[in-house]
């Protein structure tokens, strides 16, 4: 007979190494019914594949995210996460594309991150139509809620990371805001990576600030790049902010904090407090 501990380890390894579908099958096989794995974060990468993004720019996006996950600092942060993080990737243009480009996957160690990054690097494009931002948001929210309600994953921290070079041109701004508000009402944070170029210097950024990122939970932000040439650096910083919980767009200090300064600063503060207590 397997112990409860060994059964749990088997379940988690199945999800980490074999992906969400295999992991869910293991959960059912050994547990009788699926029970949600509580993770430290659920992160949904929502990617614009509309016609304004050419093949080279699409490749920049998928390789940019892949490279970001492979950063040693990111891999170390994920490995240090007590319960791991669950990540999925969706694409949208005129509609939200199905199935998910990459289904929900548990990342807990270097091997699982490498496998996920390899999927990102070879991820096929699913569309090239108009720009339905609300479709991307609604699909991401539905996927997060489905993962929770089906007993796959659950987390107190749920994030949609949406990247785009355009604004809504399928529905209207009110529909986008309604999608945003629905996400916020379910405790889902929306952050954005705005790629400028077609709408002036800050057109996409302003649109996402006003219509897309969530006012609650606190800490939502827009990361701006002036073109696809800056996408890699922005993806690196943005992913670090989201995985490490560094709030707001802090281009220099925030990036340094995300890559370890914050942890060292907290240790120094705690040490100083202990010294003050001892002297009192």
């Amino acid at each position: 007979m397997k112990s409860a501990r060994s059964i749990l380890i088997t379940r988690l390894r199945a999800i980490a190494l074999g992906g969400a579908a295999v992991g869910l099958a293991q959960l059912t096989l050994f547990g009788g019914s699926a029970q949600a794995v509580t993770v430290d974060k659920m992160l949904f990468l929502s990617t614009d594949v509309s016609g304004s993004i050419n093949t080279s720019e699409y490749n920049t996006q998928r390789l940019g995210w892949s490279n970001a996950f492979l950063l040693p600092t990111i891999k170390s942060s994920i490995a240090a996460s007590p319960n791991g993080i669950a990540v999925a990737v969706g694409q949208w243009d005129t509609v939200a594309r199905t199935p998910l480009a990459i289904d929900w996957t548990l990342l807990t160690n270097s091997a699982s991150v490498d496998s996920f990054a390899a999927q990102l690097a070879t991820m096929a494009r699913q569309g090239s139509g108009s720009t339905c931002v609300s479709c991307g948001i609604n699909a991401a929210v539905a996927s997060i809620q489905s993962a929770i309600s089906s007993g796959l994953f659950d987390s107190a921290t749920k994030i949609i990371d949406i990247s785009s070079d355009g604004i809504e041109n399928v529905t209207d701004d009110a529909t986008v805001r309604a999608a945003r508000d629905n996400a916020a009402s379910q405790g889902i944070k929306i952050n954005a990576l705005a790629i400028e170029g077609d709408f002036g210097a800050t057109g996409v950024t302003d649109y996402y600030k006003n219509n897309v990122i969530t006012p609650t939970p606190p800490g939502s932000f827009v990361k701006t790049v002036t073109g696809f040439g800056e996408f890699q650096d922005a993806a690196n910083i943005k992913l670090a902010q989201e995985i490490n919980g560094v709030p707001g767009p802090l281009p220099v200090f925030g990036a340094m904090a995300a890559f370890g300064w914050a942890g060292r600063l907290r240790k120094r503060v705690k040490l100083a407090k202990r010294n003050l207590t001892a002297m009192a």
Side-chain angles (χ1 to χ4, degrees), residues 191-194 204-205 208-209 213 220-224 238 249:
N191 296 327
L193 200 165
V204 180
T205 300
Y208 276 73
K209 284 181 178 178
I213 66 169
S220 298
F221 63 92
V222 179
K223 177 67 180 172
T224 303
K238 193 166 187 293

Side-chain angles (χ1 to χ4, degrees), residues 123-141:
M123 180 175 67
R125 184 171 186 162
Q126 295 175 301
S128 185
S130 300
T131 306
C132 185
V133 180
S134 59
C135 297
I137 296 172
N138 287 330
V141 171

Side-chain angles (χ1 to χ4, degrees), residues 164-167 194-197 199-200 202-209:
S164 174
D165 71 341
I167 64 176
I195 306 163
E196 299 292 358
F199 296 89
T202 63
V204 180
T205 300
D206 293 341
Y207 185 85
Y208 276 73
K209 284 181 178 178

